[in-house]
Amino acid sequence: MVAALELYLDVDTTRRVRTLWRALEDDGIPSLGSLHQKHRPHISLAAAHRIDPHAVADALDGFPVGRGLTVGIDFVGQFVGRVLWLGVTVTEELLTHHRAVHERLTAGGVDIWEHYRPGRWVPHCTISLRVPNPMMAPAVRRCLEYLPIQATIVGAAVADHANDISHPL
């Protein structure tokens, strides 16, 4: 079970990532779009096994989480365990925003996985959690067809899809 503080992408970028998800599915590659039909394209700022959405909302009260940030999605990456993602180019503005969010979460007592903390975080938009090993190269090639993307962050929420939690911030 995973909960995350998700940043949501503008309508055009969301449509483009959903189209990529469908193209991968058509190629026989499972995507985040088919996992349980609840995901929407996003960039996670923080994640943990459980995150109290009310504690996050309190910690970030008055802080415009992600809104108005523009990000470049320019490359494809893979995490151990067959996770495929689109990479967000790191900028000083994005890192400063990420650090400010984590300072507020820490002050609010919200516990986050170490690899999402400042200095360790790899900003990305997950495409698939379980690409079959023989399909990884074709999946990467398919993803590259959709890049580059310039995206604007339009909203944020704490999401825990396994527990039907989506708490807008």
Side-chain angles (χ1 to χ4, degrees):
M1 179 167 21
V2 175
L5 170 51
E6 298 178 345
L7 297 180
Y8 296 124
L9 308 168
D10 62 83
V11 172
D12 290 337
T13 302
T14 296
R15 188 176 303 124
R16 197 166 183 175
V17 172
R18 286 187 187 279
T19 300
L20 171 57
W21 285 349
R22 284 191 299 277
L24 288 168
E25 293 288 335
D26 290 346
D27 292 343
I29 301 165
S31 76
L32 204 59
S34 65
L35 186 58
H36 47 58
Q37 309 295 314
K38 297 176 187 176
H39 282 285
R40 79 189 256 198
H42 66 276
I43 299 165
S44 295
L45 279 183
H49 286 293
R50 292 181 192 268
I51 299 175
D52 179 350
H54 302 290
V56 171
D58 289 345
L60 297 173
D61 187 38
F63 187 77
V65 181
R67 283 173 184 77
L69 282 176
T70 299
V71 297
I73 302 173
D74 300 307
F75 57 99
V76 180
Q78 176 186 0
F79 292 130
V80 173
R82 305 179 313 165
V83 178
L84 182 66
W85 43 271
L86 302 180
V88 177
T89 299
V90 174
T91 63
E92 189 61 38
E93 180 183 27
L94 180 60
L95 292 179
T96 298
H97 187 80
H98 180 254
R99 183 171 303 284
V101 166
H102 276 267
E103 287 170 356
R104 286 168 174 77
L105 293 177
T106 299
V110 178
D111 191 36
I112 300 301
W113 284 334
E114 186 64 31
H115 56 277
Y116 277 88
R117 295 185 187 280
R120 304 263 334 259
W121 177 58
V122 176
H124 65 280
C125 176
T126 302
I127 298 301
S128 177
L129 295 174
R130 50 194 158 85
V131 178
N133 286 330
M135 298 300 291
M136 188 58 76
V140 168
R141 282 193 298 274
R142 176 68 72 194
C143 289
L144 289 171
E145 294 172 3
Y146 289 79
L147 299 180
I149 301 171
Q150 283 296 316
T152 301
I153 306 303
V154 296
V158 174
D160 179 344
H161 301 296
N163 291 306
D164 287 324
I165 295 170
S166 181
H167 187 92
L169 298 172

